[in-house]
């Protein structure tokens, strides 16, 4: 099983991104992501044996003690750079709290033999992949003319364990487990009358 942890998007953000993609797709022949596949990857796990799924799920469940994370979806960019791009993305800003969640997941999975991530976490949604050099001037012009590059805000209150399976039209992502955040114990005790 090929697995990763990630955040799903609320419908209103997904709808705004759908409108954006409908506007931009005709501008460049790229491998555009289907809107239903858009998600924020927190930790790529890779191949994992199905019989060890309970251990993985238990480790992930122990990391859900935290407050919801205010998050904004805004800004467009290119990885690794605008001159030789391989990925066209929209930014996701969850501040230090989202970075802390990623670090906790990374550290919590290390005892299971899953390697720690050595790259800096950059929250984003992959809108398109650029497999070979493509003419991008029309796309760049369409981006420059956008009235806004803000696509909504939401609170991250859970993350998921996803399975990724290759398909003829691209990967198919299936949610295997859900990890809703629970307020830390101290906050719950303070809230009592």
């Amino acid at each position: 099983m090929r697995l990763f942890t990630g955040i799903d998007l609320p419908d209103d953000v997904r709808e705004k991104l759908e409108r954006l993609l409908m506007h931009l797709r005709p501008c460049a022949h790229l491998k555009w992501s289907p809107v239903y596949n858009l998600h924020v990857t927190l930790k790529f796990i890779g191949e994992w044996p199905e019989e060890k799924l309970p251990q993985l799920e238990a480790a992930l469940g122990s990391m859900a003690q935290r407050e919801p994370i205010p998050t904004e979806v805004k800004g467009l960019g290119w990885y690794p750079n605008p001159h030789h791009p391989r990925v066209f993305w929209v930014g996701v800003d969850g501040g230090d709290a989202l970075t802390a969640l990623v670090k906790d997941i990374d550290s919590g999975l290390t005892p299971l033999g899953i390697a720690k991530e050595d790259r800096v976490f950059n929250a984003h949604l992959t809108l398109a992949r650029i497999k070979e050099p493509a003419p991008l001037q029309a796309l760049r012009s369409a981006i420059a003319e956008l009235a806004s590059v803000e696509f909504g805000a939401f609170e991250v209150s859970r993350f998921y364990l996803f399975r990724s399976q290759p398909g003829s039209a691209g990967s198919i992502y299936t949610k295997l487990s859900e990890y809703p955040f629970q307020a830390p114990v101290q906050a719950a005790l303070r809230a009592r009358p």
Side-chain angles (χ1 to χ4, degrees), residues 54-68:
Q55 294 97 310
L56 181 63
E57 290 176 327
L60 291 171
S62 69
M63 296 171 217
Q65 294 288 324
R66 65 189 68 241
E67 298 290 336

Side-chain angles (χ1 to χ4, degrees), residues 7 68-73 91-100 121 123 154 156:
I7 298 168
I69 303 169
T71 305
E72 291 181 276
V73 178
V92 177
D93 183 2
D96 293 340
L98 188 57
T99 301
F121 175 68
F154 64 104
V156 173

Side-chain angles (χ1 to χ4, degrees), residues 113-124:
I114 298 169
K116 278 198 165 203
E117 186 58 57
D118 55 359
R119 292 178 295 181
V120 174
F121 175 68
N122 287 307
H124 68 282

Side-chain angles (χ1 to χ4, degrees), residues 19-84:
R19 287 195 294 274
L20 172 72
L21 289 173
M22 286 173 62
H23 178 68
L24 296 180
R25 274 188 197 116
C27 299
H29 185 69
L30 307 178
K31 185 169 175 35
W32 294 94
S33 299
V35 174
Y36 59 81
N37 261 1
L38 294 178
H39 65 277
V40 180
T41 299
L42 299 175
K43 170 72 177 171
F44 179 72
I45 296 166
E47 290 299 326
W48 187 258
E50 193 165 353
E51 64 274 9
K52 289 187 172 184
L53 194 55
Q55 294 97 310
L56 181 63
E57 290 176 327
L60 291 171
S62 69
M63 296 171 217
Q65 294 288 324
R66 65 189 68 241
E67 298 290 336
I69 303 169
T71 305
E72 291 181 276
V73 178
K74 61 182 183 179
L76 297 169
W78 311 90
Y79 285 142
N81 62 62
H83 306 292
H84 303 287

Side-chain angles (χ1 to χ4, degrees), residues 72-113:
E72 291 181 276
V73 178
K74 61 182 183 179
L76 297 169
W78 311 90
Y79 285 142
N81 62 62
H83 306 292
H84 303 287
R86 306 304 290 161
V87 172
F88 174 50
W89 53 262
V90 62
V92 177
D93 183 2
D96 293 340
L98 188 57
T99 301
L101 172 61
V102 169
K103 286 181 179 177
D104 288 351
I105 292 172
D106 209 25
S107 297
L109 296 183
T110 303
L112 298 179

